[in-house]
Amino acid sequence: MSASGFSDLREKLKSMTPHRDNYKNRVTGKDDSYKNRKVKVTDGGNSNGNGRKRKHRDSSEDEVERSDPVESREQEARRVQSGIVQVEVFSKEDCDVIEGKINEVVANGEAGLYREHTVDRAPLRNKYFFGEGYTYGAQLEKRGPGQERLYPKGEVDDIPTWVHDLVINKLVASGVVPEGFVNSAVINDYQPGGCIVSHVDPLHIFARPIVSVSFFSDSALCFGCRFQFKPIRVSEPVLELPVRRGSVTVLSGYAADDITHCIRPQDIKERRAVIILRKTRPDAPRVDQSPSPPERHAPLKAKRSHRRADPDAAHRPRVLEMDKEENRHSSSSSRLHRRSNSSENYRRRSQDGDGSRKVKMRRH
């Protein structure tokens, strides 16, 4: 036996680290008194030089914490999936006909045949609102969910007849939506690399479900992504849902209300279009149409722009005329002042050196 009283080096190490036995007991379930407790180990100031105590968590706790996000993500993906229905309704021949009609919409938009708020252009993606249109994104005076507003009635074109005949009626016949449900149709036309950032279709604007039909090419609808810009980057989705050409996707429940969805740039490899069919709520708020001020006898001509009209625009010509009048008065006074100073200086220069002679000046 050594001088220290230990016959085996393992016994000495065991006596120096008694907390390891407690840890083993916890892992094997032999000692329940240590559950949910943290073990504090004192260094004695040797390891970090400042004598402070370090807190250690068991590796088993770390493993639980590391696994929780993964399990939570899987659970959320299942919740999202529970609110999605996909059906095949449109054949290849149906798609060919509908895609020809979408091309006509694009041509009409390029020719300026639609009302002001029917067409909304963005880089690599154009929107065409029919039936109902609404403000969103940069168009909002106040940003954030709940601030979206429907445009006043008549601000966008009616739903084209071909959308009713070729798309909506077929969905009604297939039992996807009830008769008379759809009063808003939006066509999103994406070029390769186009996208739409993560969002939830405004709950105060649209009833559920949200129905979309894909055309031209296959793509994917992603849920739970975060976008970053300059350069654009997108986080991994909670769920990536393939959407095939001609497929119908119906969102409700958790998928429609409790998680964002988006189209990532990397998922638009070819031109793609989607027709989104929705029903607006009867109490959905609309953009205010402020009455004309009493001093205006005729309303101002509407601007063909998404920017709000300057409320002072009507007064600006009058202000300019007042400025002109003030400038004329100011200029006239300045000239009189300069002439007065010039006459006084001339009178002084005309005097004799001794000041005995004065020259009478005639002012003009």
Side-chain angles (χ1 to χ4, degrees):
M1 180 179 293
S2 64
S4 60
F6 296 99
S7 59
D8 192 330
L9 182 60
R10 288 174 294 179
E11 294 181 8
K12 183 175 181 179
L13 292 173
K14 185 176 180 180
S15 68
M16 295 172 64
T17 57
H19 62 280
R20 293 183 60 83
D21 288 336
N22 295 332
Y23 167 72
K24 291 180 180 179
N25 289 336
R26 273 193 294 163
V27 173
T28 58
K30 294 179 180 179
D31 185 0
D32 293 337
S33 64
Y34 285 87
K35 286 184 178 180
N36 301 322
R37 286 176 53 187
K38 295 179 181 178
V39 180
K40 297 181 180 179
V41 180
T42 304
D43 281 1
N46 294 327
S47 61
N48 56 13
N50 56 15
R52 290 183 299 180
K53 295 181 179 180
R54 294 185 303 175
K55 293 183 179 180
H56 291 271
R57 286 186 303 188
D58 295 328
S59 59
S60 60
E61 293 178 358
D62 291 340
E63 290 173 0
V64 170
E65 289 189 4
R66 282 197 297 267
S67 64
D68 278 348
V70 175
E71 184 177 357
S72 175
R73 200 173 184 85
E74 291 176 352
Q75 290 175 350
E76 188 170 24
R78 288 193 290 270
R79 291 193 196 102
V80 175
Q81 191 70 57
S82 69
I84 300 173
V85 174
Q86 284 189 302
V87 293
E88 299 294 333
V89 175
F90 299 93
S91 65
K92 181 182 180 304
E93 291 72 24
D94 294 332
C95 291
D96 290 338
V97 175
I98 294 170
E99 287 164 3
K101 295 296 184 179
I102 294 174
N103 286 333
E104 291 180 10
V105 168
V106 174
N108 291 339
E110 293 295 331
L113 301 181
Y114 292 129
R115 296 171 189 171
E116 178 182 358
H117 294 302
T118 296
V119 184
D120 178 48
R121 303 186 186 282
L124 302 180
R125 189 209 76 223
N126 289 339
K127 273 181 176 286
Y128 302 88
F129 291 100
F130 296 105
E132 294 281 7
Y134 68 102
T135 61
Y136 68 98
Q139 303 165 355
L140 298 176
E141 182 177 356
K142 294 181 180 180
R143 301 296 180 89
Q147 301 300 323
E148 300 88 352
R149 297 288 184 270
L150 289 173
Y151 285 120
K153 285 284 188 180
E155 290 284 326
V156 303
D157 287 77
D158 295 333
I159 298 177
T161 302
W162 68 264
V163 174
H164 283 287
D165 295 342
L166 301 178
V167 183
I168 297 175
N169 289 347
K170 196 152 190 174
L171 294 176
V172 171
S174 302
V176 177
V177 294
E179 180 74 36
F181 178 80
V182 176
N183 68 348
S184 169
V186 178
I187 299 176
N188 283 344
D189 186 22
Y190 297 92
Q191 299 303 315
C195 68
I196 187 167
V197 298
S198 298
H199 66 283
V200 172
D201 290 33
L203 288 161
H204 63 292
I205 298 288
F206 297 109
R208 271 38 178 171
I210 308 296
V211 181
S212 61
V213 191
S214 297
F215 296 101
F216 288 108
S217 65
D218 299 343
S219 183
L221 183 65
C222 290
F223 296 83
C225 292
R226 294 187 303 276
F227 273 66
Q228 292 180 314
F229 301 92
K230 298 182 181 180
I232 189 168
R233 303 180 302 282
V234 187
S235 67
E236 286 297 315
V238 171
L239 177 70
E240 180 179 346
L241 180 73
V243 285
R244 309 296 181 192
R245 180 191 181 211
S247 67
V248 180
T249 303
V250 184
L251 301 183
S252 60
Y254 193 93
D257 301 342
D258 299 301
I259 191 169
T260 60
H261 58 272
C262 68
I263 301 292
R264 300 180 299 179
Q266 59 264 42
D267 293 325
I268 306 292
K269 299 178 176 62
E270 304 174 55
R271 183 195 176 188
R272 181 204 178 219
V274 59
I275 300 179
I276 304 170
L277 303 169
R278 295 175 288 202
K279 177 181 178 63
T280 58
R281 298 184 182 277
D283 58 347
R286 293 187 180 272
V287 176
D288 291 335
Q289 289 180 297
S290 301
S292 300
E295 65 268 20
R296 296 181 189 171
H297 299 289
L300 295 176
K301 184 178 180 180
K303 292 185 177 182
R304 298 191 66 82
S305 170
H306 292 300
R307 292 179 295 180
R308 293 183 299 112
D310 186 346
D312 296 327
H315 301 288
R316 194 165 293 137
R318 189 179 307 166
V319 172
L320 290 175
E321 290 299 328
M322 292 169 64
D323 288 343
K324 291 177 183 178
E325 186 66 24
E326 183 177 350
N327 289 337
R328 283 196 292 269
H329 286 307
S330 176
S331 177
S332 176
S333 299
S334 178
R335 285 196 299 271
L336 287 174
H337 182 68
R338 287 197 299 270
R339 286 176 60 185
S340 176
N341 288 341
S342 177
S343 299
E344 183 65 25
N345 292 336
Y346 184 74
R347 180 183 297 137
R348 289 176 180 174
R349 287 197 303 269
S350 301
Q351 294 177 354
D352 290 335
D354 57 0
S356 60
R357 190 177 65 174
K358 295 182 179 180
V359 178
K360 189 176 181 178
M361 297 286 300
R362 179 179 295 174
R363 296 181 63 181
H364 298 285

mmCIF file with all atom_site columns, all heavy atoms in Angstrom, residues 320-339:
data_model
loop_
_atom_site.group_PDB
_atom_site.id
_atom_site.type_symbol
_atom_site.label_atom_id
_atom_site.label_alt_id
_atom_site.label_comp_id
_atom_site.label_asym_id
_atom_site.label_entity_id
_atom_site.label_seq_id
_atom_site.pdbx_PDB_ins_code
_atom_site.Cartn_x
_atom_site.Cartn_y
_atom_site.Cartn_z
_atom_site.occupancy
_atom_site.B_iso_or_equiv
_atom_site.pdbx_formal_charge
_atom_site.auth_seq_id
_atom_site.auth_comp_id
_atom_site.auth_asym_id
_atom_site.auth_atom_id
_atom_site.pdbx_PDB_model_num
ATOM 1   N N   . LEU A 1 320 ? -46.821 78.853  -55.250 1.00 0.00 ? 320 LEU A N   1
ATOM 2   C CA  . LEU A 1 320 ? -45.818 79.340  -56.197 1.00 0.00 ? 320 LEU A CA  1
ATOM 3   C C   . LEU A 1 320 ? -46.143 80.750  -56.667 1.00 0.00 ? 320 LEU A C   1
ATOM 4   O O   . LEU A 1 320 ? -45.260 81.592  -56.808 1.00 0.00 ? 320 LEU A O   1
ATOM 5   C CB  . LEU A 1 320 ? -45.722 78.391  -57.389 1.00 0.00 ? 320 LEU A CB  1
ATOM 6   C CG  . LEU A 1 320 ? -45.101 77.022  -57.102 1.00 0.00 ? 320 LEU A CG  1
ATOM 7   C CD1 . LEU A 1 320 ? -45.188 76.146  -58.334 1.00 0.00 ? 320 LEU A CD1 1
ATOM 8   C CD2 . LEU A 1 320 ? -43.658 77.170  -56.658 1.00 0.00 ? 320 LEU A CD2 1
ATOM 9   N N   . GLU A 1 321 ? -47.417 81.067  -56.941 1.00 0.00 ? 321 GLU A N   1
ATOM 10  C CA  . GLU A 1 321 ? -47.798 82.415  -57.354 1.00 0.00 ? 321 GLU A CA  1
ATOM 11  C C   . GLU A 1 321 ? -47.510 83.421  -56.243 1.00 0.00 ? 321 GLU A C   1
ATOM 12  O O   . GLU A 1 321 ? -47.039 84.530  -56.489 1.00 0.00 ? 321 GLU A O   1
ATOM 13  C CB  . GLU A 1 321 ? -49.289 82.448  -57.720 1.00 0.00 ? 321 GLU A CB  1
ATOM 14  C CG  . GLU A 1 321 ? -49.631 81.707  -58.996 1.00 0.00 ? 321 GLU A CG  1
ATOM 15  C CD  . GLU A 1 321 ? -48.926 82.286  -60.204 1.00 0.00 ? 321 GLU A CD  1
ATOM 16  O OE1 . GLU A 1 321 ? -48.696 83.507  -60.228 1.00 0.00 ? 321 GLU A OE1 1
ATOM 17  O OE2 . GLU A 1 321 ? -48.579 81.512  -61.111 1.00 0.00 ? 321 GLU A OE2 1
ATOM 18  N N   . MET A 1 322 ? -47.770 83.041  -54.999 1.00 0.00 ? 322 MET A N   1
ATOM 19  C CA  . MET A 1 322 ? -47.464 83.927  -53.882 1.00 0.00 ? 322 MET A CA  1
ATOM 20  C C   . MET A 1 322 ? -45.969 84.183  -53.783 1.00 0.00 ? 322 MET A C   1
ATOM 21  O O   . MET A 1 322 ? -45.518 85.292  -53.520 1.00 0.00 ? 322 MET A O   1
ATOM 22  C CB  . MET A 1 322 ? -47.979 83.314  -52.576 1.00 0.00 ? 322 MET A CB  1
ATOM 23  C CG  . MET A 1 322 ? -49.495 83.245  -52.482 1.00 0.00 ? 322 MET A CG  1
ATOM 24  S SD  . MET A 1 322 ? -50.053 82.257  -51.100 1.00 0.00 ? 322 MET A SD  1
ATOM 25  C CE  . MET A 1 322 ? -49.407 83.229  -49.737 1.00 0.00 ? 322 MET A CE  1
ATOM 26  N N   . ASP A 1 323 ? -45.193 83.116  -54.043 1.00 0.00 ? 323 ASP A N   1
ATOM 27  C CA  . ASP A 1 323 ? -43.737 83.293  -54.024 1.00 0.00 ? 323 ASP A CA  1
ATOM 28  C C   . ASP A 1 323 ? -43.298 84.262  -55.105 1.00 0.00 ? 323 ASP A C   1
ATOM 29  O O   . ASP A 1 323 ? -42.412 85.098  -54.891 1.00 0.00 ? 323 ASP A O   1
ATOM 30  C CB  . ASP A 1 323 ? -43.044 81.943  -54.224 1.00 0.00 ? 323 ASP A CB  1
ATOM 31  C CG  . ASP A 1 323 ? -43.187 81.062  -52.999 1.00 0.00 ? 323 ASP A CG  1
ATOM 32  O OD1 . ASP A 1 323 ? -43.523 81.612  -51.932 1.00 0.00 ? 323 ASP A OD1 1
ATOM 33  O OD2 . ASP A 1 323 ? -42.973 79.851  -53.128 1.00 0.00 ? 323 ASP A OD2 1
ATOM 34  N N   . LYS A 1 324 ? -43.906 84.138  -56.287 1.00 0.00 ? 324 LYS A N   1
ATOM 35  C CA  . LYS A 1 324 ? -43.528 85.039  -57.376 1.00 0.00 ? 324 LYS A CA  1
ATOM 36  C C   . LYS A 1 324 ? -43.824 86.495  -57.012 1.00 0.00 ? 324 LYS A C   1
ATOM 37  O O   . LYS A 1 324 ? -43.025 87.395  -57.250 1.00 0.00 ? 324 LYS A O   1
ATOM 38  C CB  . LYS A 1 324 ? -44.278 84.655  -58.660 1.00 0.00 ? 324 LYS A CB  1
ATOM 39  C CG  . LYS A 1 324 ? -43.837 83.339  -59.266 1.00 0.00 ? 324 LYS A CG  1
ATOM 40  C CD  . LYS A 1 324 ? -44.676 83.021  -60.479 1.00 0.00 ? 324 LYS A CD  1
ATOM 41  C CE  . LYS A 1 324 ? -44.296 81.675  -61.068 1.00 0.00 ? 324 LYS A CE  1
ATOM 42  N NZ  . LYS A 1 324 ? -45.141 81.333  -62.216 1.00 0.00 ? 324 LYS A NZ  1
ATOM 43  N N   . GLU A 1 325 ? -45.024 86.743  -56.430 1.00 0.00 ? 325 GLU A N   1
ATOM 44  C CA  . GLU A 1 325 ? -45.404 88.105  -56.050 1.00 0.00 ? 325 GLU A CA  1
ATOM 45  C C   . GLU A 1 325 ? -44.442 88.643  -55.000 1.00 0.00 ? 325 GLU A C   1
ATOM 46  O O   . GLU A 1 325 ? -43.994 89.789  -55.067 1.00 0.00 ? 325 GLU A O   1
ATOM 47  C CB  . GLU A 1 325 ? -46.842 88.094  -55.519 1.00 0.00 ? 325 GLU A CB  1
ATOM 48  C CG  . GLU A 1 325 ? -47.413 89.483  -55.220 1.00 0.00 ? 325 GLU A CG  1
ATOM 49  C CD  . GLU A 1 325 ? -47.584 90.307  -56.483 1.00 0.00 ? 325 GLU A CD  1
ATOM 50  O OE1 . GLU A 1 325 ? -47.715 89.702  -57.573 1.00 0.00 ? 325 GLU A OE1 1
ATOM 51  O OE2 . GLU A 1 325 ? -47.564 91.541  -56.392 1.00 0.00 ? 325 GLU A OE2 1
ATOM 52  N N   . GLU A 1 326 ? -44.105 87.775  -54.034 1.00 0.00 ? 326 GLU A N   1
ATOM 53  C CA  . GLU A 1 326 ? -43.184 88.211  -52.990 1.00 0.00 ? 326 GLU A CA  1
ATOM 54  C C   . GLU A 1 326 ? -41.807 88.510  -53.571 1.00 0.00 ? 326 GLU A C   1
ATOM 55  O O   . GLU A 1 326 ? -41.139 89.459  -53.187 1.00 0.00 ? 326 GLU A O   1
ATOM 56  C CB  . GLU A 1 326 ? -43.085 87.123  -51.916 1.00 0.00 ? 326 GLU A CB  1
ATOM 57  C CG  . GLU A 1 326 ? -42.204 87.517  -50.737 1.00 0.00 ? 326 GLU A CG  1
ATOM 58  C CD  . GLU A 1 326 ? -42.187 86.445  -49.668 1.00 0.00 ? 326 GLU A CD  1
ATOM 59  O OE1 . GLU A 1 326 ? -42.992 85.512  -49.776 1.00 0.00 ? 326 GLU A OE1 1
ATOM 60  O OE2 . GLU A 1 326 ? -41.360 86.566  -48.756 1.00 0.00 ? 326 GLU A OE2 1
ATOM 61  N N   . ASN A 1 327 ? -41.403 87.694  -54.534 1.00 0.00 ? 327 ASN A N   1
ATOM 62  C CA  . ASN A 1 327 ? -40.106 87.931  -55.168 1.00 0.00 ? 327 ASN A CA  1
ATOM 63  C C   . ASN A 1 327 ? -40.107 89.248  -55.930 1.00 0.00 ? 327 ASN A C   1
ATOM 64  O O   . ASN A 1 327 ? -39.099 89.978  -55.950 1.00 0.00 ? 327 ASN A O   1
ATOM 65  C CB  . ASN A 1 327 ? -39.762 86.776  -56.119 1.00 0.00 ? 327 ASN A CB  1
ATOM 66  C CG  . ASN A 1 327 ? -39.429 85.507  -55.377 1.00 0.00 ? 327 ASN A CG  1
ATOM 67  O OD1 . ASN A 1 327 ? -39.046 85.566  -54.210 1.00 0.00 ? 327 ASN A OD1 1
ATOM 68  N ND2 . ASN A 1 327 ? -39.583 84.376  -56.038 1.00 0.00 ? 327 ASN A ND2 1
ATOM 69  N N   . ARG A 1 328 ? -41.249 89.581  -56.576 1.00 0.00 ? 328 ARG A N   1
ATOM 70  C CA  . ARG A 1 328 ? -41.314 90.853  -57.309 1.00 0.00 ? 328 ARG A CA  1
ATOM 71  C C   . ARG A 1 328 ? -41.192 92.029  -56.353 1.00 0.00 ? 328 ARG A C   1
ATOM 72  O O   . ARG A 1 328 ? -40.468 92.981  -56.603 1.00 0.00 ? 328 ARG A O   1
ATOM 73  C CB  . ARG A 1 328 ? -42.625 90.920  -58.101 1.00 0.00 ? 328 ARG A CB  1
ATOM 74  C CG  . ARG A 1 328 ? -42.630 90.084  -59.362 1.00 0.00 ? 328 ARG A CG  1
ATOM 75  C CD  . ARG A 1 328 ? -43.775 90.501  -60.274 1.00 0.00 ? 328 ARG A CD  1
ATOM 76  N NE  . ARG A 1 328 ? -45.065 90.165  -59.685 1.00 0.00 ? 328 ARG A NE  1
ATOM 77  C CZ  . ARG A 1 328 ? -45.687 88.993  -59.899 1.00 0.00 ? 328 ARG A CZ  1
ATOM 78  N NH1 . ARG A 1 328 ? -45.118 88.080  -60.664 1.00 0.00 ? 328 ARG A NH1 1
ATOM 79  N NH2 . ARG A 1 328 ? -46.862 88.763  -59.354 1.00 0.00 ? 328 ARG A NH2 1
ATOM 80  N N   . HIS A 1 329 ? -41.908 91.958  -55.219 1.00 0.00 ? 329 HIS A N   1
ATOM 81  C CA  . HIS A 1 329 ? -41.815 93.038  -54.226 1.00 0.00 ? 329 HIS A CA  1
ATOM 82  C C   . HIS A 1 329 ? -40.403 93.149  -53.679 1.00 0.00 ? 329 HIS A C   1
ATOM 83  O O   . HIS A 1 329 ? -39.855 94.230  -53.508 1.00 0.00 ? 329 HIS A O   1
ATOM 84  C CB  . HIS A 1 329 ? -42.797 92.780  -53.084 1.00 0.00 ? 329 HIS A CB  1
ATOM 85  C CG  . HIS A 1 329 ? -44.226 93.048  -53.459 1.00 0.00 ? 329 HIS A CG  1
ATOM 86  N ND1 . HIS A 1 329 ? -44.649 94.244  -54.002 1.00 0.00 ? 329 HIS A ND1 1
ATOM 87  C CD2 . HIS A 1 329 ? -45.338 92.249  -53.376 1.00 0.00 ? 329 HIS A CD2 1
ATOM 88  C CE1 . HIS A 1 329 ? -45.947 94.206  -54.235 1.00 0.00 ? 329 HIS A CE1 1
ATOM 89  N NE2 . HIS A 1 329 ? -46.398 92.988  -53.873 1.00 0.00 ? 329 HIS A NE2 1
ATOM 90  N N   . SER A 1 330 ? -39.815 92.008  -53.384 1.00 0.00 ? 330 SER A N   1
ATOM 91  C CA  . SER A 1 330 ? -38.468 92.002  -52.829 1.00 0.00 ? 330 SER A CA  1
ATOM 92  C C   . SER A 1 330 ? -37.468 92.581  -53.822 1.00 0.00 ? 330 SER A C   1
ATOM 93  O O   . SER A 1 330 ? -36.583 93.364  -53.480 1.00 0.00 ? 330 SER A O   1
ATOM 94  C CB  . SER A 1 330 ? -38.074 90.571  -52.454 1.00 0.00 ? 330 SER A CB  1
ATOM 95  O OG  . SER A 1 330 ? -36.752 90.526  -52.007 1.00 0.00 ? 330 SER A OG  1
ATOM 96  N N   . SER A 1 331 ? -37.619 92.208  -55.105 1.00 0.00 ? 331 SER A N   1
ATOM 97  C CA  . SER A 1 331 ? -36.706 92.708  -56.136 1.00 0.00 ? 331 SER A CA  1
ATOM 98  C C   . SER A 1 331 ? -36.865 94.208  -56.314 1.00 0.00 ? 331 SER A C   1
ATOM 99  O O   . SER A 1 331 ? -35.891 94.943  -56.452 1.00 0.00 ? 331 SER A O   1
ATOM 100 C CB  . SER A 1 331 ? -36.973 91.967  -57.448 1.00 0.00 ? 331 SER A CB  1
ATOM 101 O OG  . SER A 1 331 ? -36.150 92.472  -58.471 1.00 0.00 ? 331 SER A OG  1
ATOM 102 N N   . SER A 1 332 ? -38.121 94.719  -56.302 1.00 0.00 ? 332 SER A N   1
ATOM 103 C CA  . SER A 1 332 ? -38.364 96.158  -56.465 1.00 0.00 ? 332 SER A CA  1
ATOM 104 C C   . SER A 1 332 ? -37.772 96.944  -55.309 1.00 0.00 ? 332 SER A C   1
ATOM 105 O O   . SER A 1 332 ? -37.126 97.977  -55.501 1.00 0.00 ? 332 SER A O   1
ATOM 106 C CB  . SER A 1 332 ? -39.870 96.399  -56.567 1.00 0.00 ? 332 SER A CB  1
ATOM 107 O OG  . SER A 1 332 ? -40.145 97.787  -56.635 1.00 0.00 ? 332 SER A OG  1
ATOM 108 N N   . SER A 1 333 ? -37.958 96.466  -54.079 1.00 0.00 ? 333 SER A N   1
ATOM 109 C CA  . SER A 1 333 ? -37.403 97.159  -52.910 1.00 0.00 ? 333 SER A CA  1
ATOM 110 C C   . SER A 1 333 ? -35.893 97.170  -52.956 1.00 0.00 ? 333 SER A C   1
ATOM 111 O O   . SER A 1 333 ? -35.244 98.156  -52.595 1.00 0.00 ? 333 SER A O   1
ATOM 112 C CB  . SER A 1 333 ? -37.871 96.459  -51.630 1.00 0.00 ? 333 SER A CB  1
ATOM 113 O OG  . SER A 1 333 ? -39.277 96.485  -51.538 1.00 0.00 ? 333 SER A OG  1
ATOM 114 N N   . SER A 1 334 ? -35.317 96.080  -53.429 1.00 0.00 ? 334 SER A N   1
ATOM 115 C CA  . SER A 1 334 ? -33.855 95.999  -53.517 1.00 0.00 ? 334 SER A CA  1
ATOM 116 C C   . SER A 1 334 ? -33.309 97.017  -54.509 1.00 0.00 ? 334 SER A C   1
ATOM 117 O O   . SER A 1 334 ? -32.294 97.677  -54.268 1.00 0.00 ? 334 SER A O   1
ATOM 118 C CB  . SER A 1 334 ? -33.443 94.576  -53.909 1.00 0.00 ? 334 SER A CB  1
ATOM 119 O OG  . SER A 1 334 ? -32.055 94.481  -54.040 1.00 0.00 ? 334 SER A OG  1
ATOM 120 N N   . ARG A 1 335 ? -34.034 97.169  -55.657 1.00 0.00 ? 335 ARG A N   1
ATOM 121 C CA  . ARG A 1 335 ? -33.562 98.127  -56.649 1.00 0.00 ? 335 ARG A CA  1
ATOM 122 C C   . ARG A 1 335 ? -33.652 99.556  -56.115 1.00 0.00 ? 335 ARG A C   1
ATOM 123 O O   . ARG A 1 335 ? -32.744 100.367 -56.311 1.00 0.00 ? 335 ARG A O   1
ATOM 124 C CB  . ARG A 1 335 ? -34.395 97.993  -57.934 1.00 0.00 ? 335 ARG A CB  1
ATOM 125 C CG  . ARG A 1 335 ? -34.051 96.759  -58.757 1.00 0.00 ? 335 ARG A CG  1
ATOM 126 C CD  . ARG A 1 335 ? -34.608 96.897  -60.167 1.00 0.00 ? 335 ARG A CD  1
ATOM 127 N NE  . ARG A 1 335 ? -36.061 97.025  -60.155 1.00 0.00 ? 335 ARG A NE  1
ATOM 128 C CZ  . ARG A 1 335 ? -36.890 95.991  -60.203 1.00 0.00 ? 335 ARG A CZ  1
ATOM 129 N NH1 . ARG A 1 335 ? -36.410 94.768  -60.236 1.00 0.00 ? 335 ARG A NH1 1
ATOM 130 N NH2 . ARG A 1 335 ? -38.202 96.177  -60.207 1.00 0.00 ? 335 ARG A NH2 1
ATOM 131 N N   . LEU A 1 336 ? -34.746 99.895  -55.427 1.00 0.00 ? 336 LEU A N   1
ATOM 132 C CA  . LEU A 1 336 ? -34.884 101.238 -54.853 1.00 0.00 ? 336 LEU A CA  1
ATOM 133 C C   . LEU A 1 336 ? -33.796 101.510 -53.824 1.00 0.00 ? 336 LEU A C   1
ATOM 134 O O   . LEU A 1 336 ? -33.235 102.604 -53.744 1.00 0.00 ? 336 LEU A O   1
ATOM 135 C CB  . LEU A 1 336 ? -36.265 101.385 -54.210 1.00 0.00 ? 336 LEU A CB  1
ATOM 136 C CG  . LEU A 1 336 ? -37.445 101.501 -55.184 1.00 0.00 ? 336 LEU A CG  1
ATOM 137 C CD1 . LEU A 1 336 ? -38.756 101.500 -54.413 1.00 0.00 ? 336 LEU A CD1 1
ATOM 138 C CD2 . LEU A 1 336 ? -37.320 102.762 -56.027 1.00 0.00 ? 336 LEU A CD2 1
ATOM 139 N N   . HIS A 1 337 ? -33.495 100.461 -53.030 1.00 0.00 ? 337 HIS A N   1
ATOM 140 C CA  . HIS A 1 337 ? -32.463 100.628 -52.007 1.00 0.00 ? 337 HIS A CA  1
ATOM 141 C C   . HIS A 1 337 ? -31.103 100.878 -52.638 1.00 0.00 ? 337 HIS A C   1
ATOM 142 O O   . HIS A 1 337 ? -30.337 101.730 -52.200 1.00 0.00 ? 337 HIS A O   1
ATOM 143 C CB  . HIS A 1 337 ? -32.433 99.372  -51.127 1.00 0.00 ? 337 HIS A CB  1
ATOM 144 C CG  . HIS A 1 337 ? -31.442 99.460  -50.000 1.00 0.00 ? 337 HIS A CG  1
ATOM 145 N ND1 . HIS A 1 337 ? -31.597 100.332 -48.940 1.00 0.00 ? 337 HIS A ND1 1
ATOM 146 C CD2 . HIS A 1 337 ? -30.284 98.778  -49.792 1.00 0.00 ? 337 HIS A CD2 1
ATOM 147 C CE1 . HIS A 1 337 ? -30.588 100.195 -48.105 1.00 0.00 ? 337 HIS A CE1 1
ATOM 148 N NE2 . HIS A 1 337 ? -29.769 99.248  -48.610 1.00 0.00 ? 337 HIS A NE2 1
ATOM 149 N N   . ARG A 1 338 ? -30.811 100.146 -53.733 1.00 0.00 ? 338 ARG A N   1
ATOM 150 C CA  . ARG A 1 338 ? -29.515 100.339 -54.399 1.00 0.00 ? 338 ARG A CA  1
ATOM 151 C C   . ARG A 1 338 ? -29.435 101.722 -55.026 1.00 0.00 ? 338 ARG A C   1
ATOM 152 O O   . ARG A 1 338 ? -28.381 102.392 -54.983 1.00 0.00 ? 338 ARG A O   1
ATOM 153 C CB  . ARG A 1 338 ? -29.324 99.248  -55.472 1.00 0.00 ? 338 ARG A CB  1
ATOM 154 C CG  . ARG A 1 338 ? -29.026 97.884  -54.898 1.00 0.00 ? 338 ARG A CG  1
ATOM 155 C CD  . ARG A 1 338 ? -28.442 96.978  -55.972 1.00 0.00 ? 338 ARG A CD  1
ATOM 156 N NE  . ARG A 1 338 ? -29.369 96.793  -57.080 1.00 0.00 ? 338 ARG A NE  1
ATOM 157 C CZ  . ARG A 1 338 ? -30.278 95.821  -57.129 1.00 0.00 ? 338 ARG A CZ  1
ATOM 158 N NH1 . ARG A 1 338 ? -30.400 94.982  -56.132 1.00 0.00 ? 338 ARG A NH1 1
ATOM 159 N NH2 . ARG A 1 338 ? -31.058 95.714  -58.184 1.00 0.00 ? 338 ARG A NH2 1
ATOM 160 N N   . ARG A 1 339 ? -30.563 102.184 -55.625 1.00 0.00 ? 339 ARG A N   1
ATOM 161 C CA  . ARG A 1 339 ? -30.550 103.524 -56.237 1.00 0.00 ? 339 ARG A CA  1
ATOM 162 C C   . ARG A 1 339 ? -30.359 104.597 -55.180 1.00 0.00 ? 339 ARG A C   1
ATOM 163 O O   . ARG A 1 339 ? -29.638 105.578 -55.380 1.00 0.00 ? 339 ARG A O   1
ATOM 164 C CB  . ARG A 1 339 ? -31.866 103.750 -56.990 1.00 0.00 ? 339 ARG A CB  1
ATOM 165 C CG  . ARG A 1 339 ? -31.945 102.956 -58.291 1.00 0.00 ? 339 ARG A CG  1
ATOM 166 C CD  . ARG A 1 339 ? -33.277 103.134 -58.956 1.00 0.00 ? 339 ARG A CD  1
ATOM 167 N NE  . ARG A 1 339 ? -33.532 104.538 -59.269 1.00 0.00 ? 339 ARG A NE  1
ATOM 168 C CZ  . ARG A 1 339 ? -34.691 104.973 -59.774 1.00 0.00 ? 339 ARG A CZ  1
ATOM 169 N NH1 . ARG A 1 339 ? -35.670 104.133 -59.981 1.00 0.00 ? 339 ARG A NH1 1
ATOM 170 N NH2 . ARG A 1 339 ? -34.844 106.246 -60.045 1.00 0.00 ? 339 ARG A NH2 1
#
